[in-house]
């Protein structure tokens, strides 16, 4: 069918929000409605002729029976995989990460099998019958909870993201790596966690007036421990037993983990077995040697817990090819460790002009928020960017600004804007601006 | 008066009910001192909780050769695993090298970390003397203690690390 360039041009003009074809979403939706009607008409006339000829093979045979468990379609499985990173290879197979393929997913909730992983010495195989949580230190009553006891507490639900503070470290390297969005930014996932407010258990133990910190420790082969300010521990921290409705998975901390909304992921201690209430932080290896932020003058910021405001366009993104000019929906994720997302802007000309993206609800505190923007690509090279602002007024920096803020080799808390360059062939790749 | 009394009674019942709900369940059982002693392995900069025993770099050299060198190299220069020596004075350069010697603010952290996490392929298998000794050896490789110096519960917290003042506390906790 021949296109009507005049009509498209006038639509683009009417709905224009920024340069290089960014348009108001309503124009896009109107077009969609019209096309949908036309298609429906075509199919209806075909049915009248011969219903059997139009049916697909899977409409003519009995489908697979009920099953005790499910998995994605065999046609979709190939791409629904975490990208695994093992920096030490075989000498330390359990020290590394695997990343959520955010470019293959939609919505905001991460399927449990695709939640990112970061372990320092592998996933322990914990027998819940032998697992205990001990709370001690500056408390009136040191307590031990077995799993049976924990399961009996009233529970709360909380949707929030967990992001590794090393997320997006690839973008701190000198040259942009040609990687998909999931390999660059996939150390973030979003889950409905269910569990006991930590404040309830701390209250039962009776926190001493001198207390200011807690140490949370896991029962893995790294016995990973992190210090957390008591004020946060008493605020919105959850002792989580369920993850999107099912028991927390082994790689997420089975049988019980901490979930610390908005804080760097490393503090959400998995396989939680001990909480010590203290007056000072431990200065553990993973809050001194690691997870601290080197500045240009050689000093390092310590206990930078709250994750920055951030966004990334997941479609189109690195490694994808958009096959011809025309209408597209730009879609992505935005989040902040401090609050809800207030605004996401999108640019198609490398940050010169911006248009407000549509935020898809529910927009939740410290959770992933889906945004979208309608776009008409004219077939020429463009640079796509998104820029998020949170309710605290924090705005994403450019890559250059972020790099200037920190010392060389700083890999944590990268939250600069992502640039995707689209060339004249429609190939999308990672770029720095 | 009657009305007042019953209203007070009702209020008391309501308050009590609320109290009861907020206060339940209390399912933790008391932790005994022995139970806590065996799991409380964290060692803060004060050194509180450091066990009895001691070791120096002479003894530590052996432990290190047997249990650490395969991953951190004989001289601690790393590969395949983390570099444990060097980099002092490099943090503000274009190529900062972060190691125990150049970056770690507290020597107690080294004992704490080795005891809980290393050797990576057999964590929590070192004796306290071995942990002191190998801690001494890593400090010795960084020229922070002499080869003979005894590292123990008393001396370890007093070891001054080169980057002791290199961190800015952003926690907001006062």
């Amino acid at each position: 069918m021949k296109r009507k360039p005049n009509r498209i041009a006038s639509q683009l003009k009417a709905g224009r929000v920024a340069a290089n074809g960014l348009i108001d979403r309503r124009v896009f939706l109107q077009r969609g409605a019209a096309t949908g009607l036309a298609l429906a008409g075509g199919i209806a006339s075909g049915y009248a002729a011969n219903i059997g000829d139009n049916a697909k093979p899977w409409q003519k045979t009995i489908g697979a029976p009920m099953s005790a468990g499910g998995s994605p379609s065999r046609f979709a499985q190939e791409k629904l995989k975490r990208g695994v990173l093992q920096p030490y290879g075989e000498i330390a197979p359990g020290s590394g990460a695997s990343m959520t393929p955010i470019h293959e997913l939609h919505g905001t909730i991460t399927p449990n099998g695709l939640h990112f992983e970061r372990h320092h010495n592998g996933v322990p195989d914990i027998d819940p019958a032998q697992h205990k949580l001990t709370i001690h230190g500056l408390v009136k009553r040191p307590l031990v909870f077995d799993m049976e006891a924990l399961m009996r507490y009233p529970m709360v639900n909380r949707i929030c993201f967990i992001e590794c503070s090393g997320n997006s470290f690839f973008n701190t390297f000198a040259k942009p790596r040609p990687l998909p969005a999931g390999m660059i930014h996939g150390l973030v996932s979003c889950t409905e966690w269910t569990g006991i407010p930590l404040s309830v258990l701390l209250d039962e133990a009776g926190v001493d007036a001198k207390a200011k910190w807690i140490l949370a420790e896991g029962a893995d082969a790294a016995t990973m421990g992190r210090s957390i300010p008591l004020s946060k521990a008493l605020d919105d921290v959850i002792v989580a037993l369920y993850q999107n409705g099912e028991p927390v998975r082994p790689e997420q901390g089975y049988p019980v983990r901490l979930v610390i909304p908005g804080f760097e992921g490393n503090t959400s201690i998995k396989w939680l077995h001990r909480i010590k209430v203290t007056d000072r932080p431990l200065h553990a290896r993973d809050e001194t040697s690691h997870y601290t932020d080197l500045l240009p003058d050689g000093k390092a910021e310590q206990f930078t817990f709250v994750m920055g405001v951030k966004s990334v366009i997941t479609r189109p993104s690195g490694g994808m090819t958009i096959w011809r000019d025309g209408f597209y929906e730009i879609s992505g994720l935005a989040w902040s460790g401090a609050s809800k997302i207030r605004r996401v802007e999108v640019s198609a000309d490398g940050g010169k002009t911006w248009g407000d993206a549509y935020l898809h609800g529910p927009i939740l505190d410290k959770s992933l928020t889906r945004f979208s923007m309608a776009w008409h690509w004219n077939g020429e090279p463009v640079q796509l960017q998104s820029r998020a602002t949170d309710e605290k007024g924090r705005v994403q920096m450019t890559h250059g600004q972020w790099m200037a803020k920190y010392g060389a080799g700083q890999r944590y808390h990268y939250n600069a804007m992502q640039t995707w360059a689209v060339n004249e062939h429609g190939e999308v790749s990672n770029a720095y601006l | 008066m009657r009305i007042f009394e019953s209203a007070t009674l009702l209020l008391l019942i309501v308050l009590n009910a609320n109290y009861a709900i907020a206060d339940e369940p209390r399912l933790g059982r008391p932790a005994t001192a022995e139970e806590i002693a065996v799991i409380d392995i964290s060692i803060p900069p004060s050194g509180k909780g450091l066990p009895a025993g001691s070791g120096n770099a002479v003894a530590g050299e052996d432990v290190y050769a047997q249990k650490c060198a395969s991953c951190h190299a004989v001289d601690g220069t790393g590969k395949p695993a983390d570099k444990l020596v060097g980099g002092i004075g490099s943090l503000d350069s274009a190529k900062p090298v972060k190691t125990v010697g150049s970056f770690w603010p507290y020597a107690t952290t080294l004992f704490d970390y080795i005891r809980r996490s290393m050797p990576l392929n057999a964590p929590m298998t070192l004796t306290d003397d071995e942990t002191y000794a190998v801690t001494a050896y890593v400090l010795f490789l960084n020229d922070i203690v002499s080869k003979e110096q005894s590292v123990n519960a008393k001396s370890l917290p007093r070891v001054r690390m080169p980057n002791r003042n290199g961190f800015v506390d952003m926690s907001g906790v006062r």
Side-chain angles (χ1 to χ4, degrees):
Chain A
M1 198 174 82
K2 222 176 147 222
R3 300 220 246 163
K4 299 192 186 111
N6 286 341
R7 217 181 113 229
I8 291 174
S10 69
Q11 273 185 336
L12 285 177
K13 206 170 153 206
R16 181 186 191 280
V17 295
N20 286 352
L22 297 185
I23 44 184
D24 192 299
R25 176 170 173 271
R26 276 166 297 189
V27 175
F28 199 45
L29 291 179
Q30 275 160 20
R31 277 181 54 88
T35 323
L37 275 179
L39 276 177
I43 289 165
S45 54
Y47 270 104
N50 186 334
I51 193 162
D53 288 350
N54 279 314
K56 296 288 183 208
W58 42 84
Q59 292 179 280
K60 293 178 170 179
T61 51
I62 298 175
M66 281 53 67
S67 63
S71 57
S73 157
R74 65 189 171 99
F75 300 101
Q77 263 169 25
E78 189 49 40
K79 290 178 168 176
L80 292 174
K81 285 182 180 158
R82 293 187 284 227
V84 176
L85 291 177
Q86 270 179 326
Y88 299 102
E90 281 316 305
I91 66 135
S95 178
S98 75
M99 346 245 315
T100 300
I102 53 172
H103 54 288
E104 299 291 351
L105 303 177
H106 219 302
T108 55
I109 297 293
T110 311
N112 289 342
L114 296 176
H115 193 295
F116 84 85
E117 301 170 274
R118 169 76 176 109
H119 320 305
H120 286 257
N121 205 6
V123 180
D125 183 25
I126 296 178
D127 173 1
Q130 294 180 48
H131 189 80
K132 293 183 181 72
L133 169 62
T134 304
I135 300 184
H136 71 110
L138 296 175
V139 294
K140 291 179 191 71
R141 297 170 290 275
L143 296 173
V144 179
F145 301 87
D146 58 23
M147 292 309 299
E148 221 173 297
L150 290 179
M151 289 291 182
R152 280 179 54 195
Y153 279 80
M155 297 194 198
V156 294
N157 297 327
R158 166 80 199 239
I159 295 176
C160 66
F161 73 81
I162 295 182
E163 182 182 20
C164 176
S165 109
N167 195 20
S168 319
F169 69 91
F170 274 122
N171 275 2
T172 68
F173 294 151
K175 290 211 176 90
R177 301 281 176 103
L179 292 168
M183 282 310 281
I184 303 173
H185 304 292
L187 292 177
V188 66
S189 305
C190 189
T191 301
E192 183 193 39
W193 299 101
T194 302
I196 310 157
L198 177 58
S199 59
V200 168
L201 302 183
L202 287 173
D203 190 55
E204 187 173 328
V207 174
D208 202 283
K210 291 196 295 285
K212 288 183 179 168
W213 290 83
I214 65 164
L215 168 73
E217 194 182 83
D220 58 327
T223 315
M224 161 75 67
R226 283 296 306 259
S227 307
I228 298 141
L230 181 66
S231 55
K232 179 69 174 178
L234 292 173
D235 181 16
D236 57 357
V237 175
I238 297 174
V239 175
L241 300 155
Y242 297 91
Q243 164 187 10
N244 291 329
E246 70 174 3
V248 166
R249 292 209 172 178
E251 66 270 28
Q252 294 308 324
Y254 182 84
V256 54
R257 78 172 298 171
L258 276 189
V259 171
I260 309 196
F263 270 30
E264 60 185 15
N266 185 251
T267 59
S268 281
I269 293 292
K270 299 183 281 192
W271 316 294
L272 180 72
H273 80 153
R274 179 164 81 100
I275 287 175
K276 182 175 187 179
V277 181
T278 61
D279 57 349
R280 303 219 178 119
L282 173 63
H283 295 282
R285 179 261 191 170
D286 288 295
E287 54 202 26
T288 51
S289 167
H290 283 43
Y291 304 101
T292 51
D293 310 326
L294 195 65
L295 302 174
D297 67 1
K299 295 254 188 236
E301 292 185 340
Q302 191 184 18
F303 305 124
T304 48
F305 295 118
V306 180
M307 295 307 289
V309 60
K310 193 159 171 179
S311 69
V312 56
I313 294 171
T314 51
R315 257 192 2 197
S317 62
M320 295 181 184
T321 303
I322 49 179
W323 62 287
R324 55 167 244 200
D325 60 336
F327 282 91
Y328 289 91
E329 185 189 51
I330 293 173
S331 174
L333 293 167
W335 64 98
S336 161
S339 66
K340 291 181 187 177
I341 286 295
R342 179 195 287 161
R343 181 183 195 193
V344 179
E345 298 155 284
V346 173
S347 172
D349 58 359
K352 288 190 210 70
T353 63
W354 296 89
D356 275 310
Y358 178 78
L359 302 186
H360 298 257
I363 303 166
L364 300 174
D365 184 42
K366 305 179 184 82
S367 297
L368 296 189
T369 296
R370 178 63 62 178
F371 66 87
S372 69
M373 169 66 96
W375 181 41
H376 182 269
W377 183 46
N378 66 4
E380 282 160 24
V382 297
Q383 285 164 318
L384 299 176
Q385 290 183 315
S386 62
R387 176 169 73 186
T389 305
D390 69 13
E391 287 202 327
K392 305 272 175 193
R394 305 190 305 171
V395 189
Q396 279 183 277
M397 292 180 234
T398 64
H399 173 78
Q401 286 165 338
W402 190 93
M403 293 297 283
K405 181 179 168 189
Y406 291 107
Q410 159 70 0
R411 305 269 181 259
Y412 301 113
H413 292 282
Y414 181 94
N415 69 324
M417 289 182 253
Q418 169 67 47
T419 305
W420 298 121
V422 182
N423 68 15
E424 67 274 23
H425 306 298
E427 292 156 352
V428 187
S429 61
N430 188 18
Y432 291 163
L433 269 185
Chain B
M1 193 65 195
R2 267 252 179 98
I3 296 171
F4 176 74
E5 263 174 14
S6 52
T8 317
L9 194 70
L10 195 71
L11 192 71
L12 276 174
I13 292 169
V14 169
L15 281 177
N16 256 328
N18 274 344
Y19 181 73
I21 289 164
D23 206 39
E24 291 291 329
R26 290 181 162 265
L27 302 172
R29 63 157 176 83
T32 66
E34 298 76 57
E35 268 179 314
I36 294 168
V38 293
I39 58 164
D40 187 5
I41 57 166
S42 42
I43 307 298
S46 69
K48 196 164 174 248
L50 275 169
S54 69
N56 65 15
V58 180
E61 193 166 2
D62 279 349
V63 180
Y64 187 90
Q66 283 169 37
K67 301 188 169 169
C68 320
S70 61
C71 290
H72 293 285
V74 203
D75 50 1
T77 51
K79 294 232 160 69
D82 305 31
K83 201 172 156 71
L84 303 179
V85 296
I88 295 176
S90 72
L91 297 178
D92 59 355
S93 74
K95 279 218 159 118
V97 179
K98 295 194 243 173
T99 71
V100 173
S102 68
F103 197 52
W104 292 35
Y106 300 105
T108 47
T109 304
L110 186 57
F111 182 96
D112 174 277
Y113 181 69
I114 294 172
R115 188 162 66 152
R116 67 173 66 231
S117 303
M118 290 292 139
L120 180 119
N121 49 359
M124 296 198 156
T125 55
L126 297 186
T127 65
D128 290 340
D129 281 348
E130 284 176 320
T131 309
Y132 277 122
V134 81
T135 298
Y137 186 66
V138 174
L139 293 172
F140 164 71
L141 287 176
N142 281 290
D143 287 329
I144 294 169
V145 301
S146 70
K147 197 156 189 181
E148 288 74 30
Q149 185 178 324
S150 167
V151 168
N152 53 47
K154 235 178 161 174
S155 65
L156 185 65
R158 294 202 194 130
V159 171
R160 190 157 176 98
M161 300 296 275
N163 196 39
R164 168 68 187 84
N165 294 327
F167 290 84
V168 188
D169 180 353
M170 305 296 285
S171 70
V173 181
R174 293 287 160 261

